[in-house]
């Protein structure tokens, strides 16, 4: 016990094992929906949902443990929402890339991630991107996630006249989504810990009661095998041999980069770790999530990164890596509950996607809407992601127009060399996609 206290510096951060345990449990409950949402999203790419469930649990446990033990931060790691949608819907379905090759792209991106972290290029790139565009990127991903959730839940459907329209309320399955959404919103307004997870459980129960979801034959079983996906990322690295696939690698790198960096900074601010606008042990924290991303790709899941739901554990007092270690243990225990996967249909998980979208969209408040040279590229990112059904396309629209708008506003000196590099990279990206 004394070793634990001294290693995690519990006295320094004015916490104890009990507080860290409760914080870890709170964070896990808040994050645990990813165990059921991730297989649902990645399953669209053709991946085995059982294998994704186990890979998600293992990658989350390992990534979170590394974050806690190496960086001593109370931050949970798991496959990120948004980038998993890019993996399934843009790369696999939109570009007709096999999921095995997509995993290889994640693996290659993670290697680059580790290298740029080692050489501190990651901090340089973070500083080069305007904060307004960072907020727009995270918010745009939120809108895209919410759009996916409304589609998965049947609230939005295809319409020949208007492209999209309101779904049919005569469909009983749609009411599972509506019920889950209303319950989750109420719980979140009441600040109930784990509101998203509780909402999903209640929606699943509602689905069972109304006869839309069948009960599993058992609750506990051995975790599904990860054999269908394990190692495929390494075996298919040779398939990263076209300009299009390298653009995919770059997009995995950029989107994960912005998402996790912003999350880490936000959580560090919430916990009071920031000193002189700098994050202590930032190198170790960045190394932790880049390593988790690499391990996750080998296990068979989309990019792993810091989870904003860690704020729930921080809110109840979690201040050290011991919180993260407890979260990791809970993820390992959760693997025996795989039979419950069938209860969490797309209609059940849809409210979680919508709510996470709402949380991410809150970053729009930090964008300087009164300056057109900022508002236009930010807005194109925001609206581009859901309407093009692609995170990367939305990124391209904003990062291409930003330098042009800044030149027009006679603020060319504020455009960093990195932004000009990204300007040309995304022009090539759009050219590759279209030709």
């Amino acid at each position: 016990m004394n070793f634990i206290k001294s290693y995690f510096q519990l006295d320094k951060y004015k916490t104890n094992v009990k507080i860290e345990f409760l914080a870890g449990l709170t964070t896990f409950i808040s994050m645990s929906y990813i165990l059921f949402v991730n297989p649902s999203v990645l399953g669209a790419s053709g991946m085995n949902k059982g294998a994704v469930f186990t890979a998600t649990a293992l990658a989350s446990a390992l990534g979170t443990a590394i974050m806690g033990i190496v960086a001593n931060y109370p931050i949970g790691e798991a496959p990120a929402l948004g980038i998993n949608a890019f993996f399934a819907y843009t790369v696999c379905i939109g570009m007709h890339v096999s999921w095995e090759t997509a995993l290889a792209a994640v693996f290659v991106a993670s290697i680059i991630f580790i290298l740029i972290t080692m050489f501190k290029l990651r901090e340089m790139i973070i500083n080069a991107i305007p904060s307004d565009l960072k907020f727009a990127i995270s918010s745009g991903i939120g809108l895209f996630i919410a759009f996916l959730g409304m589609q998965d839940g049947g609230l939005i459907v295809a319409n020949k006249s208007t492209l999209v329209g309101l779904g049919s309320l005569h469909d009983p399955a749609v009411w599972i989504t509506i019920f889950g959404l209303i319950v989750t919103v109420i719980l979140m307004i009441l600040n109930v810990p784990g509101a998203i997870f509780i909402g999903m459980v209640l929606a699943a129960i509602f689905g069972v009661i109304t006869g839309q979801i069948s009960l599993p034959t058992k609750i506990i079983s051995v975790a599904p095998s990860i054999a269908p996906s394990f190692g495929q990322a390494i075996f298919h690295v040779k398939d990263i041999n076209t300009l299009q696939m390298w653009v995919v690698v770059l997009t995995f790198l950029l989107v994960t980069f912005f998402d996790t960096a912003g999350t880490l900074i936000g959580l560090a601010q919430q916990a009071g770790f920031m000193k002189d606008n700098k994050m202590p042990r930032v190198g170790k924290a960045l190394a932790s999530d880049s390593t988790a991303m690499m391990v996750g790709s080998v296990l068979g899941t989309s990019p792993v990164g810091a989870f904003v739901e860690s704020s729930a554990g921080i809110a109840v007092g979690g201040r050290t890596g011991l919180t993260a270690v407890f979260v990791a243990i809970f993820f390992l225990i959760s693997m025996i509950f795989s039979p419950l996967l069938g209860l969490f249909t797309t209609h059940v998980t849809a409210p979680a996607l919508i709510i996470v979208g709402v949380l991410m969209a809150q970053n729009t408040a930090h964008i300087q809407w009164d300056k057109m040279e900022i508002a236009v590229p930010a807005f194109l990112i925001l609206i581009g992601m859901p309407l093009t059904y692609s995170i990367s396309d939305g990124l391209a629209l904003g990062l291409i127009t930003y330098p042009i708008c800044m030149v027009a506003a006679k603020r060319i000196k504020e455009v960093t060399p990195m932004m000009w590099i990204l300007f040309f990279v995304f022009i090539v990206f759009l050219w590759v996609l279209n030709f």
Side-chain angles (χ1 to χ4, degrees):
M1 188 65 72
N2 288 331
F3 170 76
I4 292 175
K5 284 184 178 181
S6 61
Y7 184 86
F8 292 106
Q9 299 178 294
L10 299 186
D11 292 336
K12 176 183 175 181
Y13 291 103
K14 298 178 181 178
T15 183
N16 56 52
V17 175
K18 180 182 178 182
I19 291 174
E20 297 291 294
F21 174 82
L22 291 175
L25 180 60
T26 301
T27 294
F28 171 73
I29 291 173
S30 299
M31 290 176 64
S32 56
Y33 66 86
I34 196 62
L35 288 168
F36 306 104
V37 175
N38 202 43
S40 176
V41 174
L42 296 188
S45 70
M47 294 187 71
N48 180 287
K49 289 186 178 182
V52 174
F53 174 88
T54 303
T56 299
L58 287 174
S60 301
L62 191 58
T64 304
I66 294 172
M67 179 63 76
I69 295 170
V70 175
N72 197 25
Y73 274 118
I75 296 174
E77 300 262 329
L81 282 173
I83 194 65
N84 61 356
F86 171 77
F87 180 104
Y89 295 97
T90 301
V91 178
C92 295
I93 297 175
M95 296 182 181
H96 306 290
V97 173
S98 71
W99 61 264
E100 294 93 342
T101 303
L103 282 177
V106 175
F107 178 74
V108 173
S110 68
I111 298 298
I112 299 173
F113 222 170
I114 291 172
L115 290 175
I116 65 175
T117 300
M118 286 174 57
F119 291 102
K120 297 186 177 180
L121 290 173
R122 200 168 169 188
E123 289 95 323
M124 291 170 58
I125 296 174
I126 288 174
N127 294 333
I129 304 295
S131 59
D132 295 88
L133 296 192
K134 291 175 188 170
F135 290 129
I137 290 166
S138 59
S139 299
I141 293 171
L143 294 181
F144 183 44
I145 290 173
F147 183 66
L148 284 175
M150 296 181 83
Q151 184 187 47
D152 287 345
L155 293 175
I156 289 179
V157 295
N159 186 301
K160 290 182 179 179
S161 302
T162 59
L163 291 182
V164 292
L166 185 66
S168 173
L169 297 181
H170 294 292
D171 181 356
V174 172
W175 284 97
I176 297 175
T177 300
I178 295 172
F179 175 83
L181 184 60
I182 292 173
V183 169
T184 306
V185 168
I186 292 172
L187 292 174
M188 293 199 72
I189 291 172
L190 295 174
N191 294 316
V192 175
I196 292 177
F197 180 73
I198 295 171
M200 286 175 55
V201 171
L202 294 177
I205 294 172
F206 178 82
V208 171
I209 292 173
T210 56
Q212 298 301 304
I213 299 174
S214 301
L215 280 171
T217 54
K218 53 186 176 180
I219 296 175
I220 297 174
S221 75
V222 176
S225 171
I226 59 171
S229 57
F230 182 75
Q232 294 300 319
I234 298 174
F235 301 146
H236 288 266
V237 168
K238 63 182 184 299
D239 296 336
I240 312 297
N241 55 11
T242 65
L243 181 58
Q244 184 189 50
M245 285 309 303
W246 278 107
V247 171
V248 170
V249 169
L250 179 64
T251 306
F252 276 134
L253 184 65
L254 290 175
V255 175
T256 306
F257 182 97
F258 296 134
D259 191 31
T260 57
T263 300
L264 285 172
I265 291 169
L267 293 173
Q269 287 175 329
Q270 179 193 0
F273 295 140
M274 300 295 281
K275 296 178 181 178
D276 300 323
N277 203 36
K278 292 184 178 179
M279 183 177 171
R281 306 183 303 283
V282 64
K284 290 182 178 180
L286 294 173
S288 297
D289 66 30
S290 55
T291 303
M293 179 177 171
M294 180 184 69
V295 173
S297 67
V298 175
L299 291 173
T301 185
S302 52
V304 174
F307 247 52
V308 72
E309 284 79 8
S310 303
S311 61
I314 292 172
V316 298
R319 288 295 181 274
T320 75
L322 184 56
T323 292
V325 171
F326 281 126
V327 174
I329 292 171
F330 289 131
F331 266 115
L332 290 175
I333 294 173
S334 70
M335 289 193 295
I336 64 175
F337 295 102
S338 61
L340 297 177
L341 190 60
L343 288 173
F344 293 84
T345 64
T346 55
H347 290 88
V348 171
T349 58
L353 295 175
I354 296 169
I355 292 298
V356 170
V358 172
L359 297 175
M360 295 180 74
Q362 291 175 0
N363 284 317
T364 55
H366 304 296
I367 299 170
Q368 299 178 72
W369 293 110
D370 57 331
K371 291 182 172 62
M372 282 297 288
E373 63 271 26
I374 298 296
V376 170
F379 181 75
L380 288 175
I381 290 173
L382 281 169
I383 198 168
M385 289 183 181
L387 293 191
T388 62
Y389 214 69
S390 168
I391 292 168
S392 55
D393 288 351
L395 268 176
L397 293 176
L399 296 184
I400 289 173
T401 53
Y402 174 75
I404 298 172
C405 291
M406 292 296 281
V407 170
K410 299 179 181 179
R411 296 173 62 182
I412 188 171
K413 291 183 179 179
E414 296 178 45
V415 183
T416 63
M418 182 57 66
M419 289 306 294
W420 283 112
I421 292 172
L422 293 176
F423 170 77
F424 289 109
V425 163
F426 278 101
I427 286 177
V428 173
F429 170 77
L430 290 182
W431 181 83
V432 169
L433 284 184
N434 286 279
F435 298 101

